[in-house]
Structure formats: structure tokens, C-alpha cells
Amino acid sequence: MTQYLESKSGRITPEMAVVAESEYLEPEFIRAEVAAGRLVIPANKVHLSKRLIPIGIGIELRTKINANLGNSALSSDLNCELAKVQYAIHYGADTVMDLSTGSEIDILRRRIIDEVTVPVGTVPLYQVCESLEDITDMTSSDFLNAVEHQAEQGVDYMTIHAALLREHIRYVDDRLTGIVSRGGSLTAKWMVAHNRENPFYEHFDELCEIMRAYDVCWSIGDGLRPGCLHDASDAAQFAELEVMGKLAERARRLGCQVMIEGPGHIPFDQIEMNVRRQIEICRGTPFYVLGPVVCDIAPGYDHITSAIGATMAAFHGAAMLCYVTPKEHLGLPDMEDVRAGVIAYKIAAHAADVARHRPNARERDDEMAKARFNFNWDEQFRLSLDPDKASEYYNKSREQVELNCNKSDGGTEKYCTMCGPKFCAMRTTHDLQRLQELETGKDK
Amino acid sequence: MTQYLESKSGRITPEMAVVAESEYLEPEFIRAEVAAGRLVIPANKVHLSKRLIPIGIGIELRTKINANLGNSALSSDLNCELAKVQYAIHYGADTVMDLSTGSEIDILRRRIIDEVTVPVGTVPLYQVCESLEDITDMTSSDFLNAVEHQAEQGVDYMTIHAALLREHIRYVDDRLTGIVSRGGSLTAKWMVAHNRENPFYEHFDELCEIMRAYDVCWSIGDGLRPGCLHDASDAAQFAELEVMGKLAERARRLGCQVMIEGPGHIPFDQIEMNVRRQIEICRGTPFYVLGPVVCDIAPGYDHITSAIGATMAAFHGAAMLCYVTPKEHLGLPDMEDVRAGVIAYKIAAHAADVARHRPNARERDDEMAKARFNFNWDEQFRLSLDPDKASEYYNKSREQVELNCNKSDGGTEKYCTMCGPKFCAMRTTHDLQRLQELETGKDK
């Protein structure tokens, strides 16, 4: 029984109860959302038997973020990738995807699943492609075997590009950047080389059988996501989206949980429309977007260009945000890039949660405001998304302050390290309040 | 004659012509927008006689960004601040504000005005406050003299907190962070200590006389901007906004150009409402916002929290975005913080310009997309907002690639440094296109 099938039979699973508690919502509400296909709990039974702590992903829940990790043929070793995975989780990644395309894929995946408490996703096509001379050598059983193998290992959700049909490929001609999804481009190449339909589409029901057996959640990949602003919201993207909507229904009829992946590169004014369209066509199936980046001219800063788009997407209903790091378009992320990407996305997710009035979302901001007004620096660090960074910056400023100023005025405790005592607005507000109290005292 | 008075008399000034050209718009359109009070050209006649290149700030133009700089009593020397100013302009700041509160304020301001080609703004109250033991010692003539002195020096726009009235102060009691505008808090303290109305409000017409004489543009400061999400859109903020709207009209009647400053800390879902409300109350007077930051829990990353809000604000009509650096709430920015802040805001401004379909806004993105698809790395760097950062990251990745991979497959030229040759989606798209051409050839 999958979480979906359990929910349809009216049962609240222990995993649904865990999700309800962490979201400050009623268990029955969680069950109903799972049954409606609007909420998934990616929890492979194998991973559940290890250390997985279930989370929910859905339009009514707090926005989740995913960190992509994994080596490539070009860089990074196993321990280094594992350290990055732990670092991403330390800073708040709700799920991780192992997108390794290099050597030792299998060992790395097993170790990640054994060690982490968050859901783990993969793109099984990468392992298939890695094992072959060329993707066009792939047979259907190669792929089905890889999916079964990874399901057995405990992968919680899998991205499979089943909705990119042969007839969609012609739409790519009008694009500036063609196909930018790795899985999508490999799938398209296979179809063209063999003059046949998408094998994942053709074997969709068999794939569902495997996914159902372990309760692996589908993440239907958007092979035709736009790779630049010019290509956004085009015929290719929306043709694939129509098929995604149909496959989501079919997967649920076959007992599976489903997410839908989304773009990509989208101008800011098209994000609301994109999310609404996905929600309508896929009937609320959780939408898992990559960014989107809102401009193409800032390589080195795409954690920012995409956090802007991600906030807008989550505000309008995207359920999970796949982070983008500063190295996007340029190379694989190192530890600091992972941290920068995760924090940028925690910001996007939290800003959207506050804007959508999720239960208790703003409490931490209010606590921070109080700590600021009271010059309580330790409390400010504690409440920060990245306490290390906040205290590092503060201490650097404070050193300078202590070098430059007369400490007899009370040290740095009662004014902020930006402005100094004479220009600290909060200190002046405290003065003002004292003055007002004196006035009130006089009146009495 | 100010730009505003010239426009009312139907004349297109040379400065309006320069703005028209740089915005790809008709000179007569620029004139009409200036006359409507919806566009300002902050260009002090003194600065114009030096090296100033005029720019326009208004709802129909490309979004502009400002970088705040200047020393405090606690840190930074003159040469260091000048270097930061040049660095901010190098990376794309459209204007700079010298917010110095430390020593040598006067020398620094003069050197900035002499050296830079962009408009320079100040908050004259800071110099007054710096010269006194306590702000409550200030007389009206102290302030008028300071404004006149800075106007003579060539300051292009000045922030003066003239709209914060005595009756507004009581609204602050309901706040978590009181008054967070330095100028606002000093003004409020003066009012409470003297039991008198805001002196800048009372002497508004005299101030307008000085501003008009040099064509210094008003930037009516928002002394009651919210300092945390909790305090956003409250009675204090909107009471001041009503007065701002009236003062904007009065300043124009007295021949001056006017901008209105805005928040601050605003939840993402309240940004559209805030901008619309400002546009309505101030009848399209250019809105110059600080961020807004959309969450309070990310000190060390407020360039990101605020770039998210800034994009949303500009999308809905804010005309200029005041940058926020990673050091906000923690200390004064160093060179790298200035760079990070400026680039984050170039991204926000550009993303909004694309979303608002400003003339030619997306061309550079499309050029970037083509360069990416053609693996033309030098062109990608050239088109980047920060070519240094992009090439630095790329070269780092490339070194690793060259260490790890067989260069006989064509080096790094024909695949991206993220994925390697086998998984490069764009390379695969090129393969695909060749396969399709072969097919087409066969059909013939």
C-alpha cells in the first residue's frame, strides 16, 4: 500500500501524522490532501525502515526546498559529495537529489540513503546513460532494471521524463537554447535515433508497478523546460505539460504518488500564469520548480536570479523549490555554493510561506524583530537562517567598532554596528520613549 | 528654471534629450512625464557644470538602482569610501547616496561630486547632527544652512523627512521595532523634546526655494518606514504617506522635482498593495524604495531578501531601488559587499524591466542565450552583469575539468563545465539536430 492508496481507503498513516504535526495541521486534512493528489509524502518503504523522517510536499503546506548534488565525470569524489549533502541538510534542505553522472554512482547513492533523514531523489536515466557507450544503445529493460534497482535501494522519488513525446520535438526548432534538460535531451536523442515514441511513456504502467511496490513518488520531469527567457512559455513547454497532466492522473489510478517538475527560465511577469496553468492542467499535483531564473545575464549569481522567481512561484502555489547555486551555468557547486544556494532558497520558501500566511510562519520574524529592538545579538544569531554567517559579519564589524570608538559609551550593546550610537535609530527610539514617559510623568 | 518648470513651459531641455536617447523613448514623451511629476532628472546645476551625465527616474523608464555609501563614526576612511563609490558605479549603480555620519563629511562629499558622473544624493540632517552635541540642539537655521551648503556643493537630490508629523509618533507604540529610519528617529526626538511640529514640514516652502534655485530634487524621506514584517503597512507608515502625497504636490507647485521614499520591510504579499497605494496617493511621483526585504530572519543575506522584494516593487511600478548589502543590520559594507549589493539590484531592476517589457530590455538576455547555445564563453562573460565573477567561476571549473578528463574529446569548448560531454543537454541538442538533418536528407 502506498501513502496514496492508504489515504484513498481513509486511513491516516503514521507518516501523515508526522507531517500533520510538523505543519501545524490536522491529520485528517493531510489525509484528504494526499487522497486528492495535492500532497505527496515521498517515503520509500526501504528508506522508511532506515532513518527517514517523512515530510509532506503540497500546495497547502510550508514550501519545501531541494538541493541537487552529485558528482560528474569531470569533478568531485565520493566523500566530498557526501559532505556537501550533509552541509545542504545542515542549512535546511528538505530533500536532496543525487544527480551523479560520474563513477561510483551506486556506492554514493547507497551511502546517501543510509545516512540522511530527508527524502532522496534521483534521475535513473543518468545511471543508465553512464553505463552505456551512447544513450541510443539503451533498451527498455535497461531502464526498467535501473528504476527497480534504485527503488530497492530506497530512493524516495524519481525524475523520469515520460511526458516528452516524439511529436513535441519539432517545437524545439523555434528555440534559442534547444533542450536544456539533460534527461530530456537524452530521451529526445533516443527517440530520433530509433524513430520511436518515448520509452518511458510507452512503459509508463510497468514503471508505475515498480514505483507502487516501494512507494517511490513520481517526479515527472519537464524535458522541455525553457533554458532562456526567450523560450519560456512556448509550444514545446506547454505541449509537454498537457501530457504531464494526463500521466499524473494515470499514475494515481495505478496507486502512485506524483509530483510535476517545472521550469526553468521564466520572465517574472509569466510566473503566475505558469503556476496557475500547471495547477489547472495537473489538478493540484504538487509542482516542483527549478528556480525559475528571471534573467539570463547574471551567471555567478543565479542563486539570486532564481530565488526571485522561486519566491513568486511559491507565492502562487509551487510546493517545492529546487535550489540553484551561484555556479549554475558555469560548473558544479562546491561547499560554499551549496550553502549559498540552500540559504537563498530557505529565504524564498520562507518569504512565500509568510506571504501565504502558513500557520506560524511569521513567528520567527517577529522574534527577530524583538531581538533587534532589544540589541540582543545572541538571540538574533540564534533566529537566523545562517547563524554562522550573521555572527561572522557582526563580529567583524564589532572589531572595527572597538578599534574606532570610545567604549565608555556602553560598548556595542546598545546601538547597532552600522550606525554608531549617535545615529542608531533604535537607540534614538528608546531615547524618545524615555522622553515621552517623562512627559507623561510631568502631566500627572 | 528647474527641469520641472522647463517641462511645464513646454521646453525639452538637453537633459531630457539625453534621457530620451538612453531610454529609447521620444523626447516629447520624457518632457510630458516630467511635467506630470512622474519623472525626475536629478541634476543640480553645479554638478551639471562638472561631469554629471543626466538620468531619468520614473515609472515609464528603466528601473534605476542606488547604492548607499559613506562612513560612520565607527569605521572607514575617506579614500576607502571613495573607492567603494567608484566600485558601485563600475558595477552599475545609477546613483549614489553619500550617507556619511563620520568625520570629514564635507571633504568626502565634495570629492564624490567632483569625481562621479552619476547623480549624488544626501541626507543633510546627518551633517547637522554630526556637528551638534545632540540633535535636540538643532535650530531651523542650522538645517536650512546645511541644505543650502550642500546644494551649493552640487548635491543632486536630498532626503528630508518632512512628512513625519508630531501626531504620527503615537502610532509607533504598536510597533516591534519603533522608528528605524535614522533621519526619522532624530526628527521625532527633536519634536518630542521641543514639543513642536516637524521643523522640515514647517519650513517646507523655504526648503523648496533652495532646492529650486539649484534644481535639487526632493526625496521625501519615509521616517516611519517599517523595520520588520510585523510593522509593515501600519497606521504610522500610511499616515506619513498621506502627508508625502500633499508635500509632493506642494513642492511641484513651488517648481521643484520630487521623489518619494518607500519601505523597508514588507511581506511579499503586501508589496503590490504598497506600490499601488503610493502611486495613487502621490499621483505617480517616482517611488524610490529601500528593498523591501521580505523576511527578517536572514541577516548576512539581506541583499537577497531585499532583491526579491525590490523585483516585486519595480514590477508594480517603483522607479528606483535602493540597494541593500549583505552587511545590512550587521555593519557597514566593504568593497565586496558593495559589489554583491549592486549586482543583486541590477538583477532585480533588469528582471522587472524585462517583465514590464521596457524597450530593448530583453535583447541582452537573448544574446546570452545564443552565446550559451554556441558555447561561446567569452561572449557570455561580456554579456554578464559581472563578467569578472562569471569568468572566475568558469575558469575554476575548467581547471578541474582539465585535470579530470581526457582533453582529446575537444576540450571544454563544446560542452558545459557542469555536466561534461556525455550529459551536456545543449551538446545533445546539437547531436539531435544533426540526426534530424540526416533524416531529412534521407527523405529527400
Side-chain angles (χ1 to χ4, degrees):
Chain A
M1 289 286 273
T2 62
Q3 298 290 335
Y4 178 71
L5 290 172
E6 298 271 20
S7 76
K8 292 298 265 188
S9 72
R11 204 169 87 85
I12 293 167
T13 63
E15 292 74 31
M16 294 175 203
V18 169
V19 169
E21 197 175 339
S22 68
E23 301 279 349
Y24 308 96
L25 293 167
E26 290 304 312
E28 169 52 26
F29 178 76
I30 300 297
R31 187 207 61 74
E33 286 290 296
V34 174
R38 289 157 45 93
L39 194 167
V40 295
I41 302 175
N44 184 314
K45 290 168 187 182
V46 176
H47 199 193
L48 257 187
S49 73
K50 296 179 177 176
R51 303 177 57 201
L52 180 67
I53 299 169
I55 60 154
I57 300 166
I59 193 169
E60 292 294 333
L61 307 186
R62 275 187 308 107
T63 309
K64 304 302 182 297
I65 71 161
N66 170 67
N68 282 343
L69 293 150
N71 63 10
S72 83
L74 305 181
S75 69
S76 193
D77 67 11
L78 195 142
N79 286 324
C80 174
E81 284 309 309
L82 273 171
K84 282 188 216 166
V85 167
Q86 295 294 5
Y87 209 54
I89 294 167
H90 169 76
Y91 281 111
D94 296 294
T95 81
V96 293
M97 286 195 83
D98 174 19
L99 301 187
S100 292
T101 58
S103 57
E104 299 182 308
I105 289 186
D106 229 64
I107 305 168
L108 179 59
R109 187 184 316 115
R110 200 173 322 122
R111 285 197 53 193
I112 292 174
I113 292 166
D114 285 350
E115 291 184 19
V116 308
T117 57
V118 304
V120 175
T122 60
V123 185
L125 185 60
Y126 294 174
Q127 187 169 18
V128 178
C129 181
E130 180 54 29
S131 69
L132 301 168
E133 182 68 29
D134 190 275
I135 190 63
T136 53
D137 301 334
M138 179 181 71
T139 66
S140 305
S141 57
D142 287 339
F143 188 76
L144 290 166
N145 290 341
V147 169
E148 176 119 42
H149 173 67
Q150 295 195 13
E152 271 171 19
Q153 284 185 322
V155 170
D156 300 295
Y157 64 96
M158 291 186 198
T159 297
I160 301 178
H161 301 84
L164 194 181
L165 300 189
R166 221 186 144 213
E167 68 189 52
H168 300 159
I169 297 175
R170 64 193 160 98
Y171 297 127
V172 173
D173 293 344
D174 296 329
R175 290 185 156 187
L176 290 185
T177 54
I179 303 179
V180 296
S181 151
R182 295 191 287 193
S185 67
L186 295 168
T187 308
K189 188 177 171 188
W190 191 97
M191 290 192 277
V192 170
H194 292 279
N195 197 14
R196 281 173 56 190
E197 190 46 277
N198 181 329
F200 320 128
Y201 180 79
E202 299 227 300
H203 294 275
F204 192 78
D205 294 0
E206 289 156 79
L207 288 167
C208 283
E209 263 177 58
I210 303 169
M211 310 286 259
R212 189 179 58 233
Y214 297 86
D215 202 1
V216 176
C217 179
W218 273 94
S219 179
I220 302 181
D222 55 335
L224 295 176
R225 68 166 173 268
C228 62
L229 299 187
H230 173 277
D231 297 350
S233 313
D234 72 349
Q237 185 194 328
F238 288 140
E240 186 180 29
L241 182 61
E242 292 287 340
V243 181
M244 288 170 135
K246 291 189 184 109
L247 291 183
E249 294 286 327
R250 193 157 130 201
R252 279 191 290 264
R253 275 201 307 274
L254 294 168
C256 296
Q257 302 192 84
V258 198
M259 292 189 285
I260 299 289
E261 292 191 3
H265 291 237
I266 302 278
F268 194 72
D269 58 320
Q270 295 175 21
I271 293 174
E272 178 176 355
M273 176 272 286
N274 267 268
V275 177
R276 284 184 192 278
R277 190 157 175 164
Q278 187 276 351
I279 291 171
E280 191 189 318
I281 291 174
C282 301
R283 299 196 191 175
T285 304
F287 198 25
Y288 167 29
V289 294
L290 175 62
V293 305
V294 293
C295 80
D296 293 334
I297 60 172
Y301 298 86
D302 279 326
H303 60 312
I304 300 178
T305 65
S306 66
I308 292 168
T311 307
M312 190 68 163
F315 178 56
H316 287 293
M320 183 152 78
L321 310 172
C322 183
Y323 87 165
V324 170
T325 80
K327 285 279 169 60
E328 186 73 20
H329 300 108
L330 299 167
L332 285 179
D334 63 19
M335 297 281 280
E336 285 313 298
D337 297 321
V338 167
R339 178 185 183 180
V342 167
I343 297 291
Y345 274 70
K346 292 302 280 185
I347 291 168
H350 179 69
D353 288 343
V354 168
R356 291 165 77 187
H357 305 277
R358 289 284 162 270
N360 297 317
R362 217 194 61 200
E363 276 192 1
R364 190 165 157 188
D365 300 87
D366 292 354
E367 290 306 307
M368 178 67 88
K370 289 175 203 162
R372 281 187 168 140
F373 195 63
N374 293 320
F375 303 102
N376 185 341
W377 295 98
D378 288 336
E379 180 72 354
Q380 291 178 49
F381 305 147
R382 190 184 70 77
L383 291 163
S384 296
L385 286 176
D386 185 346
D388 309 323
K389 181 75 82 188
S391 57
E392 177 200 328
Y393 282 179
Y394 172 75
N395 289 329
K396 226 186 280 176
S397 304
R398 188 171 156 145
E399 272 167 41
Q400 234 182 335
V401 169
E402 287 174 0
L403 277 174
N404 282 281
C405 92
N406 181 355
K407 283 205 274 177
S408 67
D409 61 10
T412 54
E413 298 306 314
K414 295 293 175 202
Y415 53 87
C416 114
T417 34
M418 283 184 81
C419 311
K422 203 166 181 178
F423 287 92
C424 176
M426 289 192 187
R427 184 185 171 101
T428 306
T429 303
H430 285 280
D431 288 351
L432 185 72
Q433 289 174 342
R434 268 191 300 274
L435 278 175
Q436 285 174 314
E437 280 160 25
L438 283 176
E439 287 292 315
T440 317
K442 261 192 266 170
D443 290 349
K444 283 173 191 165
Chain B
M1 288 286 274
T2 62
Q3 298 289 336
Y4 178 70
L5 291 171
E6 297 271 19
S7 75
K8 292 298 265 187
S9 73
R11 203 169 88 86
I12 294 167
T13 63
E15 293 73 31
M16 294 174 202
V18 169
V19 169
E21 198 175 339
S22 68
E23 301 278 350
Y24 307 95
L25 293 167
E26 291 304 313
E28 169 52 25
F29 178 76
I30 300 297
R31 187 205 60 76
E33 286 289 295
V34 174
R38 289 157 46 91
L39 195 167
V40 294
I41 302 176
N44 184 315
K45 290 168 187 183
V46 177
H47 199 192
L48 257 186
S49 73
K50 297 179 176 175
R51 303 177 57 201
L52 179 68
I53 300 169
I55 61 157
I57 300 166
I59 193 168
E60 293 294 333
L61 307 186
R62 275 188 308 106
T63 309
K64 304 303 183 296
I65 71 162
N66 170 67
N68 281 343
L69 292 149
N71 64 8
S72 82
L74 306 181
S75 69
S76 194
D77 68 10
L78 195 142
N79 286 324
C80 175
E81 283 309 310
L82 272 171
K84 283 189 215 165
V85 168
Q86 295 294 4
Y87 208 54
I89 294 168
H90 169 76
Y91 281 110
D94 296 294
T95 80
V96 292
M97 285 194 84
D98 174 17
L99 301 187
S100 292
T101 57
S103 56
E104 299 182 309
I105 289 185
D106 228 64
I107 304 168
L108 179 59
R109 186 184 316 115
R110 199 173 321 123
R111 285 199 51 192
I112 292 174
I113 292 166
D114 284 350
E115 290 183 19
V116 308
T117 58
V118 304
V120 175
T122 60
V123 185
L125 184 61
Y126 293 174
Q127 188 169 17
V128 178
C129 182
E130 180 55 30
S131 68
L132 301 168
E133 181 69 29
D134 190 275
I135 189 63
T136 52
D137 301 333
M138 178 181 72
T139 65
S140 304
S141 57
D142 287 339
F143 188 76
L144 289 166
N145 289 341
V147 169
E148 176 119 43
H149 172 67
Q150 295 195 12
E152 269 171 20
Q153 284 184 323
V155 170
D156 300 294
Y157 64 95
M158 291 185 197
T159 296
I160 301 178
H161 300 84
L164 195 182
L165 302 188
R166 220 185 145 212
E167 68 190 50
H168 301 158
I169 297 175
R170 65 193 159 96
Y171 296 127
V172 173
D173 293 344
D174 296 329
R175 291 186 154 186
L176 291 184
T177 53
I179 303 178
V180 296
S181 150
R182 296 190 287 194
S185 66
L186 295 169
T187 308
K189 188 177 170 188
W190 191 96
M191 289 192 278
V192 169
H194 292 279
N195 198 13
R196 281 174 55 190
E197 189 48 276
N198 183 328
F200 320 128
Y201 181 79
E202 299 226 301
H203 295 275
F204 191 79
D205 293 0
E206 290 156 80
L207 288 166
C208 283
E209 262 177 59
I210 303 169
M211 310 286 258
R212 189 178 59 233
Y214 296 86
D215 202 1
V216 176
C217 179
W218 271 96
S219 179
I220 303 180
D222 55 334
L224 294 175
R225 68 166 173 269
C228 62
L229 300 187
H230 173 279
D231 296 350
S233 312
D234 70 349
Q237 186 194 328
F238 288 140
E240 186 181 28
L241 182 61
E242 292 288 340
V243 180
M244 288 169 135
K246 291 190 184 110
L247 292 183
E249 294 286 327
R250 193 157 129 199
R252 279 191 289 265
R253 274 202 307 275
L254 294 169
C256 296
Q257 301 192 86
V258 197
M259 293 190 284
I260 299 289
E261 292 191 3
H265 291 237
I266 303 277
F268 194 71
D269 59 318
Q270 296 175 20
I271 293 174
E272 178 177 353
M273 176 273 285
N274 267 267
V275 178
R276 284 184 192 278
R277 190 157 175 163
Q278 186 276 349
I279 291 171
E280 193 189 316
I281 291 174
C282 301
R283 299 197 190 173
T285 303
F287 198 25
Y288 167 29
V289 293
L290 174 62
V293 306
V294 292
C295 79
D296 293 334
I297 61 173
Y301 298 85
D302 279 326
H303 61 312
I304 300 179
T305 64
S306 66
I308 292 168
T311 307
M312 189 69 163
F315 178 56
H316 288 293
M320 184 153 78
L321 309 172
C322 182
Y323 87 166
V324 170
T325 80
K327 286 279 169 60
E328 186 73 20
H329 300 109
L330 299 166
L332 285 180
D334 64 20
M335 296 281 280
E336 284 313 298
D337 297 320
V338 167
R339 179 184 182 181
V342 168
I343 297 291
Y345 274 70
K346 292 302 280 185
I347 290 169
H350 180 68
D353 288 342
V354 168
R356 291 165 77 187
H357 306 277
R358 288 284 161 270
N360 297 314
R362 218 194 60 201
E363 277 191 1
R364 190 165 157 189
D365 300 86
D366 292 354
E367 290 306 307
M368 178 66 89
K370 289 174 203 162
R372 281 187 169 141
F373 196 62
N374 293 319
F375 302 102
N376 185 342
W377 295 100
D378 288 335
E379 179 72 353
Q380 290 177 50
F381 305 147
R382 190 184 69 77
L383 291 163
S384 296
L385 286 177
D386 185 347
D388 309 322
K389 180 75 83 188
S391 58
E392 177 200 327
Y393 281 179
Y394 173 75
N395 289 328
K396 227 187 278 176
S397 305
R398 187 171 157 145
E399 272 169 39
Q400 234 184 336
V401 168
E402 287 173 1
L403 276 174
N404 283 281
C405 94
N406 181 354
K407 283 206 273 176
S408 67
D409 61 9
T412 54
E413 298 305 315
K414 295 294 175 201
Y415 53 86
C416 112
T417 33
M418 282 184 82
C419 311
K422 204 169 184 177
F423 286 92
C424 176
M426 289 193 187
R427 186 185 170 102
T428 306
T429 303
H430 285 280
D431 287 354
L432 186 72
Q433 289 175 340
R434 270 193 298 274
L435 278 173
Q436 284 175 314
E437 280 160 24
L438 284 175
E439 285 293 314
T440 317
K442 261 192 265 170
D443 290 350
K444 285 176 191 163

